[in-house]
Amino acid sequence: MGVVEDVRFEGVDLRPWGKFDRATRMVYSLLFHLIDVGAVAGVLWDRFLTPSQREVISVGLSMSQERARALVSFLASMHDIGKLIPYFQSLESVARMRLGEDLLADAGRVVEVPHARASMHAGLHLLGELGFDLSGSDSPAVRAAQCLGGHHGRFLQLDVDGAASAHRVLATLGGPVWQGLRRRYTRLLWHLFAVDEAPERLSVEAAVLITGLTMVADRVASQRRYWVPNAHTPSFGAAEHHTHARRQAEEEVERLGLARFPLDRVPFTTAHPGLVEPNALQASVIEELPRLVAGRGSGIAVVTDAMGAGKSVTALEMARIFNEHCGTQGVMWLLPSTAAADQAYEALDRYVRAHRPEYAPVTLVHHHSDLNEAYTQRRLSPEDASVLDGPPDGPFADDQDGLFDDETEYGPAAAGPDRWLRGRDHALLAQYTVTTIDQAQMAVLPVRHSALRMLALSGRTIVVDEAHALDAFSQMQLLRLLHWLGALNSPVVLLSATMPASTTTELVRAYLSGAGRTGLHGVPFAPGYPGWLFADAATGTAHLMPEPSQDRQRAAQRRTARIRTRQVIYRRLGQAGRSVEAGERLAVIADTLQPVVHRGGCAAVVCATVADAQDTYAYLRSIWTGPAHDLVLLHSRVGEWRRQNSLAALRRELGPAGPRPLRRVVVTTSLLDMSLDIDVDVMVSDLASAARLLQRLGRLGRFTRRWAGESRRPVWWDGDDSPALTVLHPVDSRGATSLPPGWGTIEPPVTLHETARLLPQLEKKPLLVPDDVQDLVEQVHGVTSGFAAETARLQRMAAAHQRRTSRLQQLSALHLVPPPKRVSSLADLHRQYLTTAQAATRPGVLPRRLLPCYQSADGHLTLDAAGLVPLPDQEHLSPRHLRSILEHTVPVPAAWAARAGARHQPPASWKQHPLLTDTLLLPTSLITRESERDRGEQFGHHWLRMDNELGLLHHKQQ
């Protein structure tokens, strides 16, 4: 029979199953599921893919966009052709009973083959019969077959002459009857989706995007609420079902919030509430960049400006311009920390809402975005697993990935994300997304669903905030990511207040290299400071901010600040009540804070480590005479809920419009360095690199110009004098720099020593911001820094730093996927096996999460000291239970918990949940001798104790 007869009533056999619901024993036709996914892929092409993504795919297929759409829909529909094999069809006896006698008789020996691999092996020859060229590992037939096999998340190796050979397919995937039915299904799908010819080529970039699109289409069509009604009222034939599937797909893509929506043009002051007009740098971008992008196309932009000068607004304006002229839609904003991401989410959400869209989802993606109060009501439980979609692909089963989220809708909101879009990696698909940069880095690591991440990244403007904040290990991953984004023609904006010119140049070259530009080795790409640069992908030419605009921006932002150095003796507080002597670090901090303590104002004490912050807070608390709430401790080693609330309160009270308290002293760590829009009157900092000190300086008197004429400063504030950052310089008895143990793991020791040698020069005269910033950054962090050559000790440190940097770069490069031009078989993208839990986006061992809890006399565990909230332990944890667990967890270095005992293991039911599987318990006995309570719980050589006021305390037994 031909396809015309097959699509009709009682045409091709519809009895092989593709979906089975264990709860209702409902069976759904495989052919109908294939049609569903193809139809969804077609709608996603129209409504979800951006013009730039469609262009990448059509160019990669060497065909028009109309023909490319048909082919992509067909390939998506073929994703589960591997379910039409004896092994899969025999997995459920109820469904197997539906099969015809001819298929049952031709099953032969049932061989276990995962259906994704079967789709690849069977699909290879079926595609070859349709005209796909099969002449090598980079041929269209091989790559298209690998797209079919990759729909579960990993591209598999295809052995054309081995497991994928025609005789092996007949031996393992069913006999001639099975092969004949697969052929009829294939030709029917080819006909339904109106494909007219096979592609001459299939580029790596196009294959990755097609596979990512297939993953999304499969997930949409695999929702239980999507296919079960169709199973209850099946169509008479394939043609009728195809007509229904197209209508259903359009409705579902719209319902899930996957359809793209352009934002209306609004005035600058409407898009950015609170601003009266663009500053000189922003005005220059608005005036100059549209002409450049309209004429040259996509590219990479770099913005450097002083802390608090409006780089985020500049990035949003650049994204708007890129999206208007480059065929892209939306923004993905990448940040180095969850604290920075939480604040950026509020800014991006506010920006989108200012345009009053009918519906434009804004999502927040990081490990614990669920605990952000502005981003609540997400279901945390994995979906009810009653739908059998075949077994996982053996060792490639990553049970932390691929969990569908709840399908229930919540009430409408102008820019609130749909429930489905909040589900794990689904959230990356939203048109506007804020995420930690590690989520994007995993797109260039061989983890499952990396193609879906690449699909999410492409097609919109990528903003990389705090681009200077990554170490050598993570920087390598960012370079490879930029290379891929250049190949995918996605515009990028890099933001930084303290980035060396050498780093800027390296990042821009990586992007342009991916875009195919060569011969850039000696070409510098430095925007000046403050300034912006746009390098177009078409020619690799750098376009700079005009100098007059640069001068205006510099003049408008110009202010002075002083850096004062106090040499201190570093000594831990130790036992409470120890007498702190003059000249000690703690005594100098207390002395510097005297104006705030006695006369009011807001101050920040930025400590090198959490332990130092705990010591500082404990000492200040012991001598504190004011209200207790005026002294605040803020660090990461507390429960997630407490950290989130503390950061939110800090942003609210010390922000530009908040109800500024009469007195507040915040003792914190490097949390302060990342994108916090706050202002303090006094700042004390432990010795840090020049870049970090400049970042911290950006929070000192930050809103002075904005508050001109307002009485928001303390009475002792001298508006004519420059605010001063006091830097604590730890020295030994001879006055030489002496770094305490543990500080060298935070930043390279050579950088701290170089900064220490620079401090005396900085004390001589006030620092002029932004004029002096870039020069200071280059002196310490640039490739031309001369400090390392000043002494033999610094030379040795610099050499050790270079060796460590080289090791980190080599280690990072080991796991990176190759650039598109170096990929032959798509399996090259998954040569190594990494799960998302194993993938390292920063050097060192991944952290563990501890859950402090309390143990009663009878052994029961509770989340509270009063013993009223029992530790949840049941097979199905509710969202409320999960949130109560997660908001109490604390991240710690893995080494601290490496020797966990039986009493530290969580309930067995938690091991089945992806968000709790690595959690360990930190139990505290409610009845304990005081001496034991002081030490806490032992994990090998490490002792840990959760203090209600100080947070997690750590002591290592020597």
Side-chain angles (χ1 to χ4, degrees):
M1 297 180 67
V3 291
V4 176
E5 291 78 16
D6 277 347
V7 299
R8 295 174 178 170
F9 174 56
E10 293 187 345
V12 74
D13 188 355
L14 301 176
R15 289 172 293 183
W17 65 279
K19 296 288 180 186
F20 179 77
D21 183 48
R22 288 174 176 165
T24 62
R25 304 176 78 79
M26 180 63 62
V27 178
Y28 190 49
S29 166
L30 171 60
L31 180 59
F32 285 179
H33 173 62
L34 301 183
I35 294 173
D36 287 344
V37 174
V40 172
V43 175
L44 289 174
W45 175 280
D46 298 330
R47 303 298 309 276
F48 172 74
L49 290 187
T50 63
S52 69
Q53 289 174 311
R54 293 196 287 265
E55 180 71 12
V56 169
I57 294 175
S58 60
V59 169
L61 293 170
S62 294
M63 49 175 61
S64 68
Q65 292 200 14
E66 182 180 0
R67 292 170 57 209
R69 179 193 187 278
L71 184 67
V72 168
S73 300
F74 164 73
L75 289 175
S77 72
M78 286 284 289
H79 76 291
D80 269 353
I81 196 68
K83 287 183 175 179
L84 191 48
I85 61 174
Y87 171 66
F88 183 88
Q89 293 297 317
S90 64
L91 288 174
E92 282 295 332
S93 57
V94 173
R96 183 178 181 276
M97 291 170 59
R98 292 164 36 102
L99 298 180
E101 293 182 2
D102 54 344
L103 286 175
L104 293 173
D106 193 44
R109 182 171 66 89
V110 177
V111 179
E112 179 179 348
V113 182
H115 77 264
R117 188 174 293 277
S119 293
M120 180 175 66
H121 289 172
L124 177 69
H125 302 284
L126 295 170
L127 294 172
E129 293 173 2
L130 294 171
F132 283 70
D133 175 54
L134 175 52
S135 58
S137 59
D138 60 350
S139 63
V142 172
R143 284 184 174 168
Q146 288 180 309
C147 289
L148 306 186
H151 80 272
H152 271 197
R154 296 184 185 276
F155 290 114
L156 307 174
Q157 184 62 49
L158 182 58
D159 185 358
V160 176
D161 299 320
S165 61
H167 74 276
R168 287 282 295 276
V169 167
L170 283 174
T172 57
L173 306 184
V177 177
W178 291 86
Q179 178 70 0
L181 189 55
R182 288 194 294 265
R183 182 177 293 112
R184 290 175 68 182
Y185 273 22
T186 300
R187 294 183 181 276
L188 186 151
L189 295 169
W190 183 267
H191 168 74
L192 286 176
F193 293 106
V195 189
D196 51 15
E197 64 176 320
E200 297 177 358
R201 63 186 291 260
L202 178 52
S203 71
V204 173
E205 297 90 337
V208 168
L209 296 187
I210 291 171
T211 305
L213 188 72
T214 301
M215 292 177 189
V216 179
D218 189 27
R219 293 182 180 196
V220 171
S222 294
Q223 298 173 99
R224 188 177 181 277
R225 60 169 300 282
Y226 190 90
W227 64 264
V228 167
N230 295 338
H232 278 294
T233 55
S235 303
F236 288 110
E240 182 189 10
H241 185 76
H242 180 241
T243 302
H244 166 74
R246 286 183 297 177
R247 291 196 303 268
Q248 185 182 16
E250 290 173 356
E251 294 171 358
E252 191 64 14
V253 168
E254 188 82 22
R255 187 192 78 84
L256 294 177
L258 289 170
R260 302 288 183 184
F261 290 91
L263 295 183
D264 295 334
R265 285 294 302 271
V266 297
F268 178 88
T269 52
T270 302
H272 309 285
L275 297 182
V276 212
E277 61 180 0
N279 63 30
L281 191 149
Q282 294 157 359
S284 171
V285 165
I286 294 170
E287 181 180 349
E288 301 287 336
L289 190 60
R291 173 181 54 82
L292 295 172
V293 177
R296 302 295 185 110
S298 182
I300 183 169
V302 183
V303 178
T304 59
D305 203 355
M307 296 65 67
K311 292 187 295 296
S312 297
V313 171
T314 306
L316 290 173
E317 286 300 306
M318 283 185 158
R320 174 185 60 79
I321 295 166
F322 280 131
N323 290 341
E324 286 178 357
H325 297 282
C326 300
T328 52
Q329 292 175 309
V331 173
M332 181 174 282
W333 201 334
L334 310 180
L335 295 113
S337 69
T338 58
D342 287 339
Q343 179 161 310
Y345 168 74
E346 295 175 15
L348 184 59
D349 188 57
R350 188 165 54 246
Y351 172 79
V352 173
R353 288 177 185 274
H355 291 76
R356 299 189 177 277
E358 180 180 347
Y359 179 73
V362 182
T363 57
L364 174 65
V365 187
H366 57 68
H367 292 305
H368 290 285
S369 52
D370 313 282
L371 303 180
N372 183 306
E373 288 189 6
Y375 191 73
T376 53
Q377 298 301 321
R378 169 183 165 187
R379 177 186 170 117
L380 299 179
S381 304
E383 187 188 51
D384 181 355
S386 68
V387 177
L388 178 67
D389 195 17
D393 285 31
F396 297 106
D398 183 351
D399 61 4
Q400 300 201 38
D401 294 330
L403 295 173
F404 301 154
D405 209 75
D406 182 51
E407 302 154 6
T408 307
E409 284 187 283
Y410 270 69
D418 186 277
R419 197 86 180 270
W420 193 85
L421 276 176
R422 290 174 180 266
R424 301 183 66 74
D425 47 7
H426 296 168
L428 293 172
L429 301 172
Q431 188 165 334
Y432 294 90
T433 305
V434 175
T435 178
T436 47
I437 195 168
D438 61 312
Q439 298 292 329
Q441 287 170 252
M442 283 193 282
V444 290
L445 292 175
V447 298
R448 197 175 180 199
H449 300 129
S450 56
L452 186 145
R453 291 177 187 271
M454 198 63 76
L455 174 75
L457 282 160
S458 63
R460 53 177 154 177
T461 301
I462 306 299
V463 178
V464 185
D465 208 344
E466 307 283 358
H468 63 275
L470 300 180
D471 54 34
F473 185 94
S474 302
Q475 193 88 343
M476 284 293 294
Q477 296 177 349
L478 177 59
L479 290 170
R480 185 58 49 85
L481 176 63
L482 291 174
H483 188 107
W484 270 85
L485 291 173
L488 292 167
N489 210 28
S490 296
V492 173
V493 179
L494 304 176
L495 305 179
S496 180
T498 53
M499 188 156 61
S502 55
T503 302
T504 305
T505 297
E506 189 178 23
L507 295 174
V508 173
R509 284 178 187 165
Y511 178 92
L512 296 177
S513 175
R517 306 284 68 80
T518 57
L520 301 174
H521 182 67
V523 182
F525 292 95
Y529 194 95
W532 61 265
L533 172 147
F534 168 61
D536 65 87
T539 66
T541 305
H543 311 271
L544 295 170
M545 177 181 181
E547 286 189 16
S549 299
Q550 207 167 9
D551 292 338
R552 286 195 298 272
Q553 176 70 3
R554 192 177 293 117
Q557 300 294 336
R558 188 170 287 133
R559 65 188 181 97
T560 58
R562 292 185 178 275
I563 292 182
R564 295 197 179 108
T565 307
R566 296 286 298 270
Q567 292 191 347
V568 298
I569 303 299
Y570 178 89
R571 190 174 300 158
R572 292 292 306 275
L573 181 61
Q575 294 296 323
R578 178 179 74 81
S579 176
V580 175
E581 300 175 1
E584 280 192 41
R585 171 183 172 276
L586 295 174
V588 172
I589 290 174
D591 180 60
T592 309
L593 294 176
Q594 287 306 305
V596 174
V597 173
H598 295 296
R599 305 178 66 189
C602 298
V605 181
V606 191
C607 304
T609 68
V610 172
D612 293 327
Q614 291 169 329
D615 272 2
T616 303
Y617 176 85
Y619 175 68
L620 293 176
R621 172 66 73 205
S622 70
I623 62 175
W624 195 257
T625 57
H629 63 264
D630 283 351
L631 181 62
V632 178
L633 176 63
L634 174 61
H635 58 75
S636 61
R637 213 169 291 158
V638 294
E640 291 285 346
W641 178 81
R642 176 177 164 184
R643 184 181 65 83
Q644 292 275 4
N645 279 1
S646 298
L647 278 169
L650 182 67
R651 294 199 304 264
R652 183 175 61 251
E653 294 178 347
L654 303 185
R660 196 168 180 84
L662 295 177
R663 180 190 293 106
R664 186 74 81 244
V665 174
V666 180
V667 180
T668 185
T669 61
S670 58
L671 278 177
L672 190 78
D673 300 344
M674 300 299 178
S675 302
L676 285 179
D677 193 21
I678 63 172
D679 172 296
V680 294
D681 308 310
V682 173
M683 182 175 289
V684 185
S685 171
D686 278 327
L687 178 65
S689 66
R692 286 203 177 191
L693 292 179
L694 289 168
Q695 288 284 343
R696 293 168 189 177
L697 195 64
R699 275 86 185 168
L700 180 62
R702 185 185 187 100
F703 306 136
T704 299
R705 193 183 300 270
R706 184 183 303 187
W707 291 347
E710 300 182 30
S711 57
R712 296 202 181 194
R713 296 293 179 192
V715 293
W716 53 264
W717 176 274
D718 185 358
D720 297 327
D721 194 14
S722 305
L725 166 64
T726 301
V727 180
L728 306 178
H729 179 195
V731 296
D732 57 19
S733 58
R734 296 170 299 171
T737 302
S738 177
L739 298 183
W743 282 25
T745 61
I746 302 168
E747 295 189 273
V750 65
T751 305
L752 296 178
H753 278 268
E754 288 176 349
T755 303
R757 292 178 66 83
L758 181 65
L759 288 175
Q761 300 178 31
L762 298 180
E763 282 194 286
K764 293 179 181 178
K765 62 178 182 178
L767 187 67
L768 199 61
V769 178
D771 304 65
D772 297 339
V773 170
Q774 192 65 34
D775 180 57
L776 289 177
V777 171
E778 298 296 342
Q779 283 191 60
V780 175
H781 302 274
V783 292
T784 58
S785 172
F787 284 98
E790 289 192 4
T791 67
R793 185 185 183 193
L794 280 178
Q795 288 178 359
R796 289 194 300 271
M797 286 185 180
H801 173 56
Q802 290 298 329
R803 288 194 298 270
R804 183 175 184 273
T805 298
S806 179
R807 285 197 304 270
L808 288 176
Q809 291 174 337
Q810 292 172 11
L811 181 61
S812 180
L814 285 175
H815 288 162
L816 289 176
V817 302
K821 299 301 182 189
R822 284 174 37 204
V823 174
S824 178
S825 166
L826 294 178
D828 294 342
L829 299 174
H830 286 105
R831 287 287 178 202
Q832 303 175 74
Y833 172 69
L834 283 181
T835 67
T836 51
Q838 296 167 336
T841 53
R842 291 182 176 86
V845 183
L846 294 173
R848 295 296 298 269
R849 301 198 72 83
L850 290 184
L851 176 68
C853 53
Y854 300 87
Q855 189 172 38
S856 63
D858 58 3
H860 286 90
L861 295 173
T862 62
L863 288 173
D864 63 325
L868 301 177
V869 184
L871 200 69
D873 181 12
Q874 55 204 55
E875 185 176 355
H876 297 290
L877 294 167
S878 69
R880 179 175 58 84
H881 284 145
L882 281 163
R883 184 167 280 110
S884 67
I885 294 170
L886 291 173
E887 68 186 15
H888 285 85
T889 58
V890 181
V892 298
W896 292 7
R899 298 181 63 180
R903 63 187 264 103
H904 305 128
Q905 299 305 316
S909 60
W910 294 16
K911 292 294 184 182
Q912 306 305 314
H913 199 287
L915 295 178
L916 302 179
T917 183
D918 290 329
T919 304
L920 293 173
L921 302 183
L922 178 62
T924 299
S925 297
L926 292 174
I927 303 176
T928 311
R929 291 195 301 273
E930 195 63 33
S931 60
E932 294 178 356
R933 182 174 295 175
D934 285 344
R935 300 192 71 182
E937 187 71 16
Q938 185 175 12
F939 291 78
H941 296 296
H942 298 271
W943 291 82
L944 302 173
R945 177 170 69 89
M946 177 57 75
D947 184 275
N948 290 336
E949 190 172 17
L950 299 178
L952 187 70
L953 299 175
H954 167 251
H955 170 71
K956 185 177 181 181
Q957 184 177 355
Q958 299 301 324

